Amino acid sequence: MSRFFVPPENIGVRTIEITDSGDLHHMRKVLRLRPGDEVDVSDTDQWEYRARIEILEEDSAMLTILDRQAFAAEPKTKVTLYQGIPKQGKLDRIIQKCTELGVREIVPVFMDRTVVADRGHMTRKAERWRRIAAEAVKQCRRGIIPAVRDAVELTDVINESGEYNLVLIPYENEQAVSIKEVLREDGWRHRGKKERRIAVFIGPEGGFSEAEVQAVTEAGGRSVTLGRTILRTETAGPAALAMIMYELEL
């Protein structure tokens, strides 16, 4: 079943209007949908709909709502990934896989060991990263498209730590505390339906500098290990996210 995302203001009591030119082209030229076909629609906020196409034209489509349900595939745990910017397009795959695993937001971060020659093209890259997240969501049938922010410096986001219930920084030199131990501490396993907001900081190739680890932990972050082996930056984020979802969602 095809899935489309529309703003809440395009959804009425019984009808949905699709006006995005890219979605309309995809409906008409790629999927070759016709009036009478059914699709899934998300309002990107709370509700997902089963709807039937009534009118499909070049500039708009009008659908009749057949069913409405609260998001079924969205995790209650809202994870923000602060990803040290890697080189050679690795962030494309990180965004794709973390979107599939349920991340809520991704923040590309310049860190001490970031090796990127074309910092001036980050705005263009951010637009591509958002398209990658949107395509991954359609494939895995989530209800929301994770936000992908413009690239920032680590010093600009350290103070955001107070917005989260828990801040994790997987660190290769941490040996005493595992991510499993932190997630299983009292107050996490038994939160029930209360909102859980977690931040995860991942370093770029070469990892974090000691000063960065100190800055994050002093702001309230918990240094943890993801296991005995040292993971690549493009593996560490999805691995940490999978561990969080396994422990808190399943």
Side-chain angles (χ1 to χ4, degrees), residues 25-39:
H25 174 81
H26 192 66
M27 293 172 76
R28 295 172 59 249
K29 301 298 184 180
V30 179
L31 299 176
R32 299 191 180 279
L33 297 174
R34 296 289 184 268
D37 290 337
E38 296 182 8
V39 297

Side-chain angles (χ1 to χ4, degrees), residues 85-92 110 114-126 128-129 151 153:
I85 298 173
K87 57 185 179 181
Q88 298 175 345
K90 293 177 182 178
L91 193 52
D92 294 11
F110 291 111
T114 296
V115 182
V116 177
D118 58 346
R119 289 195 177 202
H121 294 84
M122 281 297 155
T123 300
R124 189 187 314 158
K125 287 186 176 181
R128 185 180 78 246
W129 294 332
E153 300 287 340

Side-chain angles (χ1 to χ4, degrees), residues 30-142:
V30 179
L31 299 176
R32 299 191 180 279
L33 297 174
R34 296 289 184 268
D37 290 337
E38 296 182 8
V39 297
D40 288 338
V41 178
S42 166
D43 69 359
T44 70
D45 179 46
Q46 182 180 5
W47 300 101
E48 55 190 6
Y49 303 81
R50 175 67 56 83
R52 182 178 62 243
I53 299 172
E54 303 295 347
I55 301 171
L56 179 54
E57 299 177 341
E58 287 193 20
D59 58 350
S60 69
M62 189 62 68
L63 292 69
T64 297
I65 295 172
L66 303 176
D67 185 47
R68 185 184 79 160
Q69 301 287 338
F71 290 152
E74 283 302 311
K76 295 181 178 67
T77 306
K78 298 179 180 180
V79 181
T80 296
L81 174 67
Y82 292 89
Q83 172 67 51
I85 298 173
K87 57 185 179 181
Q88 298 175 345
K90 293 177 182 178
L91 193 52
D92 294 11
R93 188 167 182 83
I94 293 169
I95 290 171
Q96 182 189 62
K97 296 309 173 187
C98 286
T99 296
E100 293 176 18
L101 289 164
V103 75
R104 187 77 175 194
E105 182 180 31
I106 298 171
V107 186
V109 183
F110 291 111
M111 298 183 181
D112 289 344
R113 295 173 181 169
T114 296
V115 182
V116 177
D118 58 346
R119 289 195 177 202
H121 294 84
M122 281 297 155
T123 300
R124 189 187 314 158
K125 287 186 176 181
E127 293 173 358
R128 185 180 78 246
W129 294 332
R130 294 181 187 109
R131 289 196 298 270
I132 291 170
E135 288 302 317
V137 159
K138 292 177 182 179
Q139 184 273 327
C140 63
R141 301 179 67 80
R142 287 184 58 186

Side-chain angles (χ1 to χ4, degrees), residues 195-210:
E195 181 179 84
R196 297 182 290 254
R197 300 192 72 233
I198 299 178
V200 180
F201 285 81
I202 300 293
E205 295 94 344
F208 296 104
S209 67
E210 291 184 8

